[in-house]
Amino acid sequence: MDEMEEELKCPVCGSFFREPIILPCSHNICLACARNILVQTPDAESPQSSRASGSGVSDYDYLDLDKMSLYSEADSGYGSYGGFISTPTTPCQKSPNGVRVFPPSVPQPPAQHLLPQPSSLPPIPRNSCITCPQCHRSLILDERGLRGFPKNRVLEGVVDRYQQSKAAALKCQLCEKSPKEATVMCEQCDVFYCDPCRLRCHPPRGPLAKHRLVPPAQGRISRRTSPRKISTCTEHELENLSMYCVQCKMPVCYQCLEEGKHGTHEVKALGAMWKLHKGQLSQALNGLSDRATEAKEFLVQLRNMVQHIQENGVEFEACLVAQCDALIDALNRRKAQLLSRVNKEHEHKLKVVRDQISHCTVKLRQTTGLMEYCLEVIKENDPSGFLQISDALIRRVSMTEGQWGKGTLTPRMTSDFDLTLDNGPLLQTIHQLDFVQMKVPAAPMLQLEECCTQNNSATLSWKQPPLSTIAVDGYILELDDGNMGPFREVYVGTETICTVDGLHFNSTYKSRVKAFNASGVGQYSKTLIMQTSETGLPPCDIQSIGTVAWFTFDPASAHPDIVLSNDNLTVSCNSYDDRVVMGNSAFSRGVHYWEMSVDRYDNHPDPAFGIARADVLKDVMLGKDDKAWAMYVDNNRSWFMHNNSHTNRTDGGIGKGATIGILLDFSRGILIFLINDEQQGPVAFEGLEGVYYPAISLNRNVQITLHTGLPIPDFYSPGDADPADSVC
């Protein structure tokens, strides 16, 4: 009941309602608070000009008040002309419920709702106005003032019961030493009991078994010395409300019916309307209760989602840290490799320079020694001795000088490192490092309202879940073979709707779809079971997804001499020779029936009707080869023909207006022909298996119209031992 507490508090003072009154806008307010927010209107606005009378106040709406400066745009509270009951210059305050009000001239505690005696109440000024603190609808009071508003006795009673339930716990009246908390109260004994005392002193048997035990709070309320206040009429204060005005939607007294404005209105008994409105409120509460239950379940779902988000956040953060650490480790390993290369280059340069230093040092020592030796030789004064060695020394000096030739005094290695780290692409990649979609798509949702079958085709539609944000590159649609076999892919692409043709009639197919992206393939959707059409069954809704077969002649496979019209339902021919045309649907299962009517029949031709394989010859009569099974008929008789074999000559031919029926039953593997609703001859062919197309051969003397989507004839029931025995 804690959630109800806000409903029981006044929007002005924020405390529990005390003597609440009902404003015409159906909102409630304490009587004392209503006096505190009264405003006096200008003298020009009289009650007579405003058409105000008691609870039937005028629509002194919020915009009009704004124009009259009762509501200030600079302040969201209530303003005044100076006719405020409270001091006009007193600044407005905000109630606990957020509504700005002006306090009375004599300050009172917010919880103090006791009204002074009527003799001490200040008179309500003439032309007073009150504005609802919740909807801001304003109205002018008549000469009765606030007494013109009905008192909400129901709300007052609910507040009393709520406060009683919140009061201190009642104690057992029969405990001797330390009274325990009471659990029940007997209305007949007028005693509060705890559980042990109730079992000991008030056993549920004998005369006491008929006593009524109630909860302590309810018992306390029943103990109230003051009786419940009875609602009286606002027009006639001494009269109790006894009837209900249907037109005004308010309780009235009998004087209102005799003297007041309700005399001509429709009225009903107060008790009957009380029960009716209680039932309506209970029914409305049932719907609201369902919404509240859904809201609670939704809140549980959201709270679970919060927990999952927190768990997923921690997991994702750990994954991100691990990925970044892996990048850092890879960078450190590459750093070590690059440093190793730099060290090798460093050592190589040092070795080359040091070798050159060593070589030059040795060579310079030798040169310096030779020079010193030659200088000492030059100092000798013995010409003969000098000439003996001078040539050799000259050659040695020249040779040594040549050894210091070009390149000898050039460094073999530079001091610069010819290595430049190409880190630009890596830095750019790091700057572009971001989150990408790394999850596979969620399972698509099949849109059942758009999935259907027609003849031997199935159309499926799907979409991604509403809250899914994962990118999808495409979808894969799978169907089984119609015989509980394995699934196979029938479509791969980006579309969300697909029609699959060429399925078997009278077959049940299972279908499913899944989505994929760069990260992989997602989960399958729920499996949808669909049934293709079965000839002979009446049309039905999408739940059973089964209708009779509808088809037309196929212009793509027809002989060039064939002429089609009437949306490919009427066929004729330009040649005197027989030419073949087939239907655009193939049959392999079920029971199928279609008819062909003769629109034109000249010179007694013999058209052939039947079924054929896809590769039947198109330039000869139907049944001439082994790919067709047919009945050809003239104006007097008919024959069955397959592979140029003529059998079962039967009297009875056709003419203009005749109807030829073809019945193909795969459950028994037979083909039957009818002329004008009568079976023509025995069963024409048996042992039929595989895929067959409806077919016909004709020449220019005949025009035929095709009729499909027909039920099987009444005389025939699939599975009959001999359909000829059932002919009408």
Side-chain angles (χ1 to χ4, degrees):
M1 296 180 63
D2 294 338
E3 293 83 358
M4 185 180 64
E5 186 168 318
E6 291 301 321
E7 294 283 339
L8 308 181
K9 290 185 178 180
C10 175
V12 177
C13 63
S15 301
F16 288 108
F17 283 106
R18 186 71 176 178
E19 296 191 71
I21 59 175
I22 306 175
L23 299 180
C25 56
S26 300
H27 293 126
N28 300 281
I29 188 174
C30 295
L31 183 58
C33 296
R35 299 187 65 86
N36 289 341
I37 63 174
L38 283 177
V39 178
Q40 185 175 358
T41 62
D43 293 338
E45 296 292 337
S46 63
Q48 289 79 9
S49 63
S50 303
R51 305 184 309 277
S53 61
S55 59
V57 294
S58 64
D59 291 334
Y60 210 76
D61 62 11
Y62 180 72
L63 293 178
D64 292 334
L65 284 177
D66 189 59
K67 296 175 183 178
M68 297 167 58
S69 300
L70 286 177
Y71 182 88
S72 172
E73 292 183 358
D75 185 85
S76 60
Y78 300 99
S80 171
Y81 292 114
F84 233 101
I85 291 180
S86 59
T87 304
T89 58
T90 303
C92 65
Q93 299 176 350
K94 182 173 285 189
S95 74
N97 284 12
V99 179
R100 295 196 176 195
V101 298
F102 287 93
S105 57
V106 179
Q108 297 180 0
Q112 186 73 18
H113 294 281
L114 296 178
L115 291 174
Q117 296 299 323
S119 60
S120 63
L121 287 174
I124 295 177
R126 192 167 172 270
N127 300 342
S128 294
C129 171
I130 187 171
T131 301
C132 176
Q134 290 183 280
C135 66
H136 302 292
R137 181 183 177 185
S138 300
L139 43 103
I140 297 177
L141 279 63
D142 61 5
E143 63 277 359
R144 293 176 299 166
L146 297 176
R147 291 183 292 106
F149 299 119
K151 296 181 179 180
N152 196 336
R153 301 297 186 190
V154 175
L155 177 58
E156 192 174 7
V158 174
V159 171
D160 289 343
R161 291 198 300 270
Y162 182 78
Q163 290 179 322
Q164 291 285 350
S165 66
K166 290 292 184 179
L170 295 171
K171 302 296 182 180
C172 177
Q173 295 176 297
L174 298 182
C175 292
E176 296 179 355
K177 295 183 179 180
S178 57
K180 299 180 180 179
E181 183 177 344
T183 57
V184 294
M185 181 254 188
C186 178
E187 290 186 336
Q188 285 71 27
C189 302
D190 197 19
V191 176
F192 290 94
Y193 298 94
C194 64
D195 286 337
C197 293
R198 177 179 59 83
L199 296 175
R200 184 176 67 254
C201 304
H202 200 289
R205 60 183 179 274
L208 299 179
K210 297 182 179 180
H211 286 197
R212 185 168 180 260
L213 302 179
V214 296
Q218 183 178 346
R220 167 180 280 183
I221 295 174
S222 64
R223 272 187 164 189
R224 291 184 306 178
T225 56
S226 59
R228 175 67 59 84
K229 298 179 182 179
I230 301 176
S231 299
T232 58
C233 180
T234 57
E235 298 279 350
H236 313 92
E237 298 183 358
L238 299 180
E239 298 296 334
N240 295 335
L241 299 172
S242 58
M243 303 295 290
Y244 182 83
C245 179
V246 178
Q247 182 174 344
C248 300
K249 297 183 178 180
M250 61 181 296
V252 295
C253 67
Y254 79 95
Q255 284 193 6
C256 292
L257 304 179
E258 295 179 356
E259 306 171 2
K261 62 180 181 179
H262 304 281
T264 59
H265 295 177
E266 179 186 0
V267 295
K268 293 187 178 181
L270 194 64
M273 294 304 296
W274 173 60
K275 292 181 180 179
L276 176 62
H277 282 209
K278 268 194 171 183
Q280 293 176 350
L281 180 59
S282 299
Q283 185 176 2
L285 282 177
N286 290 334
L288 186 60
S289 176
D290 294 339
R291 301 290 84 78
T293 302
E294 294 176 0
K296 291 180 181 179
E297 296 175 353
F298 181 65
L299 285 175
V300 172
Q301 179 183 355
L302 291 181
R303 292 189 180 99
N304 293 336
M305 186 178 295
V306 169
Q307 182 179 356
H308 292 159
I309 290 175
Q310 292 175 343
E311 295 175 353
N312 293 339
V314 172
E315 180 181 355
F316 189 79
E317 182 178 349
C319 181
L320 177 62
V321 171
Q323 289 176 327
C324 291
D325 289 343
L327 293 176
I328 294 173
D329 291 341
L331 186 61
N332 286 332
R333 289 193 299 270
R334 188 58 180 168
K335 173 185 173 182
Q337 294 174 357
L338 294 176
L339 286 176
S340 175
R341 288 183 56 185
V342 171
N343 290 334
K344 290 180 179 180
E345 184 70 15
H346 173 260
E347 294 297 332
H348 174 68
K349 285 181 176 292
L350 289 179
K351 182 178 182 302
V352 171
V353 173
R354 286 170 180 170
D355 290 345
Q356 191 173 13
I357 290 174
S358 175
H359 178 72
C360 289
T361 301
V362 172
K363 200 168 182 102
L364 180 59
R365 185 182 303 112
Q366 294 175 352
T367 301
T368 303
L370 178 61
M371 291 173 58
E372 291 178 354
Y373 174 69
C374 289
L375 289 175
E376 291 299 328
V377 170
I378 291 175
K379 291 179 182 181
E380 290 295 332
N381 296 325
D382 184 3
S384 59
F386 177 82
L387 292 175
Q388 286 179 346
I389 63 173
S390 60
D391 291 336
L393 289 176
I394 292 173
R395 288 194 299 271
R396 285 186 60 190
V397 169
S398 298
M399 187 182 298
T400 302
E401 182 182 0
Q403 292 177 353
W404 291 102
K406 186 177 180 180
T408 305
L409 300 179
T410 302
R412 300 177 183 175
M413 186 65 65
T414 62
S415 59
D416 297 332
F417 283 79
D418 298 331
L419 297 175
T420 302
L421 183 62
D422 186 14
N423 61 347
L426 180 59
L427 289 176
Q428 184 178 1
T429 302
I430 293 176
H431 291 154
Q432 295 176 351
L433 187 63
D434 200 352
F435 298 104
V436 296
Q437 189 57 60
M438 297 300 294
K439 292 185 178 179
V440 297
M445 299 172 56
L446 287 168
Q447 301 189 85
L448 301 182
E449 66 277 5
E450 298 184 13
C451 297
C452 63
T453 61
Q454 183 178 9
N455 290 340
N456 60 338
S457 299
T459 299
L460 295 102
S461 177
W462 59 88
K463 64 179 181 179
Q464 282 297 105
L467 299 180
S468 177
T469 59
I470 303 175
V472 175
D473 294 340
Y475 300 93
I476 301 174
L477 176 63
E478 297 182 356
L479 267 72
D480 68 352
D481 60 356
N483 194 26
M484 306 302 290
F487 283 92
R488 66 186 190 279
E489 293 184 2
V490 296
Y491 172 76
V492 178
T494 59
E495 300 294 332
T496 57
I497 187 170
C498 178
T499 298
V500 183
D501 298 319
L503 303 177
H504 295 297
F505 279 93
N506 191 27
S507 300
T508 300
Y509 286 88
K510 293 189 296 182
S511 58
R512 62 187 184 184
V513 64
K514 58 184 177 180
F516 64 88
N517 58 16
S519 299
V521 181
Q523 297 292 323
Y524 284 105
S525 66
K526 293 183 178 179
T527 301
L528 177 64
I529 299 177
M530 308 179 72
Q531 182 174 345
T532 53
S533 302
E534 177 181 359
T535 302
L537 294 179
C540 54
D541 58 18
I542 193 172
Q543 299 299 326
S544 58
I545 317 180
T547 60
V548 295
W550 300 83
F551 60 91
T552 64
F553 290 119
D554 183 18
S557 61
H559 191 277
D561 293 336
I562 292 293
V563 179
L564 296 175
S565 60
N566 188 24
D567 294 330
N568 297 331
L569 291 175
T570 300
V571 58
S572 59
C573 183
N574 291 329
S575 174
Y576 285 104
D577 297 325
D578 290 305
R579 300 292 185 246
V580 173
V581 59
M582 298 191 301
N584 61 356
S585 293
F587 302 141
S588 61
R589 298 181 185 179
V591 182
H592 309 275
Y593 178 73
W594 63 96
E595 292 180 348
M596 298 185 186
S597 59
V598 181
D599 302 332
R600 180 170 53 84
Y601 189 80
D602 302 327
N603 302 323
H604 309 300
D606 48 1
F609 309 87
I611 58 176
R613 302 285 191 186
D615 55 349
V616 65
L617 296 177
K618 307 292 177 45
D619 55 356
V620 295
M621 179 183 287
L622 192 68
K624 286 284 187 178
D625 60 0
D626 61 350
K627 301 297 191 298
W629 293 256
M631 175 188 74
Y632 69 94
V633 56
D634 57 18
N635 61 323
N636 291 321
R637 61 190 69 82
S638 66
W639 292 265
F640 301 148
M641 183 167 62
H642 169 65
N643 199 16
N644 205 24
S645 174
H646 308 254
T647 59
N648 296 99
R649 170 179 167 174
T650 305
D651 292 334
I654 62 173
K656 182 179 179 181
T659 299
I660 298 88
I662 300 94
L663 194 155
L664 176 60
D665 185 355
F666 282 100
S667 63
R668 299 178 57 219
I670 62 175
L671 181 64
I672 299 175
F673 294 97
L674 295 87
I675 295 180
N676 295 328
D677 297 328
E678 297 289 339
Q679 183 172 337
Q680 184 73 359
V683 173
F685 301 100
E686 297 180 340
L688 298 176
E689 294 181 354
V691 179
Y692 301 92
Y693 291 84
I696 179 178
S697 67
L698 72 169
N699 60 20
R700 63 182 305 165
N701 294 316
V702 186
Q703 179 175 300
I704 302 294
T705 295
L706 174 66
H707 305 277
T708 63
L710 304 176
I712 61 176
D714 295 336
F715 78 90
Y716 182 78
S717 296
D720 282 347
D722 188 359
D725 296 340
S726 303
V727 177
C728 299

